[in-house]
């Protein structure tokens, strides 16, 4: 049965856990990344051509199966041990009134995760995924990025390391999610820094702010971009200065999954912004990722286009927590079941194409 693990504090984790010493250590890790198993992809393609269906009849499901085969290193991939990791962080930029909810909600939602009352708990039960929740020093929010870097270099590296250590090598599919009041503001700022420094494009309603709130949020993002302008050509500096601890942890987890050749299903806007940092720093770094869904946050589609990802689902979600990624697991699992479980024409004694 799925279960919840809640780590009390990133400083309270086991002392022998791996830690990056500097941002450059993390950069170096991205220089040489595993690639998919081409033989497994070829064998999966051959198997697909013999299954009892017209060529291409299962559409994107066929592509997903071949993609999974490459990362799992087998022509018959499957999902047996999916893991969902949720990182929770607080943001100093909320002092500007950028969210419809107070910062206290972050810690309250962590307790809701712990007691099994959140949406992601229900979805983990439904899809058979293990859930881990990491509060990222909720009593120490990031600094207000409109006037100073959101994280010190030490805080940033520690958050990256927490994400890195959160990934279990026994996991065969990873979804990373988040909880944090104010984090759509941070994600919008990071996305703007990476791709187009125009707050009008990237700022959305988040938890449901009104038009006056949108104006305040855009102003905060614009101030942040202006304050840190000379550093924003470096994707990691953009994340450190404008993002959140939970976003840095998500980037660390996604990078670790690549090192372990674990496929990742991306969640919504905030998760995608964190992932985009890796792609911007090292093109191809997200080849092991697919987009679980297109959220209702206005800029999510633009961000997915920027990193070349096509969403599997369009359900109008804007909750976070990894919920959209979790909902995509059954679709991916169905693709793999069809690919690995269907009979070939020969096995089923069904006549193949005549021409």
């Amino acid at each position: 049965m799925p279960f919840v693990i809640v780590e009390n504090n990133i400083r309270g984790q086991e002392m022998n856990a791996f830690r990056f010493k500097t941002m450059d250590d993390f950069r170096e890790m991205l220089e040489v990344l595993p690639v998919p198993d081409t033989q497994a992809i070829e064998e999966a393609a051959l198997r697909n051509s013999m299954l009892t269906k017209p060529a291409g009849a299962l559409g994107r499901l066929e592509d997903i199966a071949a993609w999974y085969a490459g990362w799992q290193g087998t022509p018959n991939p499957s999902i047996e041990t999916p893991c969902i990791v949720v990182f929770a962080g607080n943001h100093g930029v909320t002092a500007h009134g950028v969210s419809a909810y107070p910062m206290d909600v972050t810690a309250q939602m962590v307790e809701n995760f712990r007691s099994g009352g959140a949406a992601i708990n229900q979805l983990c039960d439904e899809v058979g995924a293990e859930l881990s929740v990491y509060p990222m020093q909720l009593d120490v929010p990031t600094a207000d990025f409109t006037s100073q870097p959101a994280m010190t270099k030490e805080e940033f590296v520690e958050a990256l390391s927490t994400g890195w250590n959160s990934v279990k090598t026994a996991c065969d599919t990873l979804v990373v999610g988040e909880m944090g009041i104010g984090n759509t503001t941070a994600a919008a700022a990071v996305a703007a820094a990476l791709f187009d420094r125009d707050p009008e494009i990237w700022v959305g309603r988040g938890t449901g702010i009104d038009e006056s709130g949108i104006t305040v949020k855009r102003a905060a993002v614009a101030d942040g971009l202006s304050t840190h302008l000379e550093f924003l050509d470096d994707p990691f500096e953009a994340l450190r200065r404008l993002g959140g601890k939970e976003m840095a942890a998500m980037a660390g987890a996604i990078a670790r999954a690549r090192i372990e050749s674990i496929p990742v299903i991306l969640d919504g806007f905030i998760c995608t912004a964190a992932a985009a940092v890796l792609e911007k720093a090292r093109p191809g770094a997200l080849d092991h990722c697919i987009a679980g869904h297109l959220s209702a946050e206005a800029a999510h589609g633009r961000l997915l286009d920027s990193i070349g990802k096509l969403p599997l689902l369009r359900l109008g979600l804007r909750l976070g927590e990894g919920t959209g990624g979790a909902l995509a697991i059954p679709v991916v699992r169905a693709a793999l079941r069809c690919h690995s479980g269907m009979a070939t024409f020969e096995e089923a004694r069904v006549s193949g194409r005549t021409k």
Side-chain angles (χ1 to χ4, degrees), residues 109 111-124 131 319 321 323:
M109 278 302 301
E111 290 307 308
N112 196 27
F113 296 142
R114 189 196 301 272
S115 63
I120 192 59
N121 295 96
Q122 318 320 312
L123 294 176
C124 283
L131 174 64
L319 180 59
E321 303 177 8
T323 51

Side-chain angles (χ1 to χ4, degrees), residues 15-266:
M15 295 302 293
N16 60 352
F18 176 79
R19 287 288 182 271
F20 294 103
K21 293 181 179 179
T22 67
M23 283 196 291
D24 285 340
D25 290 343
F26 190 75
R27 294 180 206 274
E28 290 176 10
M29 178 277 305
L30 291 176
E31 290 181 3
V32 180
L33 295 174
V35 296
D37 185 326
T38 55
Q39 182 176 345
I41 294 173
E42 291 171 0
E43 291 178 4
L46 178 60
R47 174 174 174 75
N48 182 56
S49 71
M50 298 186 293
L51 297 178
T52 47
K53 60 177 180 59
L58 287 177
R60 283 191 69 192
L61 298 188
E62 298 181 17
D63 298 332
I64 291 169
W67 176 78
Y68 245 82
W71 289 107
Q72 287 195 350
T74 172
N76 297 95
S78 64
I79 295 179
E80 305 296 337
T81 55
C83 297
I84 298 178
V85 183
V86 177
F87 302 98
N90 275 324
H91 297 259
V93 73
T94 57
H96 294 272
V98 297
S99 176
Y101 291 85
M103 192 186 297
D104 292 347
V105 169
T106 305
Q108 292 164 2
M109 278 302 301
V110 167
E111 290 307 308
N112 196 27
F113 296 142
R114 189 196 301 272
S115 63
I120 192 59
N121 295 96
Q122 318 320 312
L123 294 176
C124 283
D125 285 344
E126 181 65 25
V127 304
E130 177 182 309
L131 174 64
S132 301
V133 180
Y134 288 79
M136 308 291 290
Q137 288 183 287
L138 299 184
D139 57 336
V140 184
T142 56
D144 176 2
F145 68 61
T146 66
S147 59
Q148 59 186 302
M151 290 168 275
T152 66
K153 291 181 179 180
E154 293 75 17
E155 288 173 329
F156 182 60
V157 169
E158 193 166 24
L160 287 172
S161 300
T162 295
W164 183 272
N165 289 316
S166 73
V167 178
K168 298 182 178 181
T169 56
C171 169
D172 63 18
T173 298
L174 178 68
V175 174
V176 291
E178 41 61 40
M179 173 62 213
I181 298 303
N183 61 12
T184 57
T185 304
V190 170
L194 295 178
F195 298 109
D196 187 327
R197 293 168 191 174
D198 181 358
E200 297 281 334
I201 293 174
W202 300 104
V203 170
R205 295 192 180 276
T207 52
I209 57 176
D210 57 19
E211 285 302 320
S212 63
I214 288 281
T215 299
V216 169
K217 195 171 177 179
R218 286 173 177 160
V221 171
D223 288 346
L225 295 173
S226 177
T227 297
H228 305 288
L229 183 60
E230 64 181 295
F231 303 98
L232 298 184
D233 288 338
D234 180 341
F236 293 118
E237 276 295 316
L239 179 57
R240 181 177 80 85
R241 290 170 175 274
L242 299 170
K245 294 173 186 176
E246 78 275 37
M247 293 178 65
M250 284 194 287
I254 293 167
R256 173 69 182 282
R258 176 60 178 268
I259 295 299
E260 303 295 341
S261 294
I262 298 171
V264 172
I265 302 177
L266 299 175

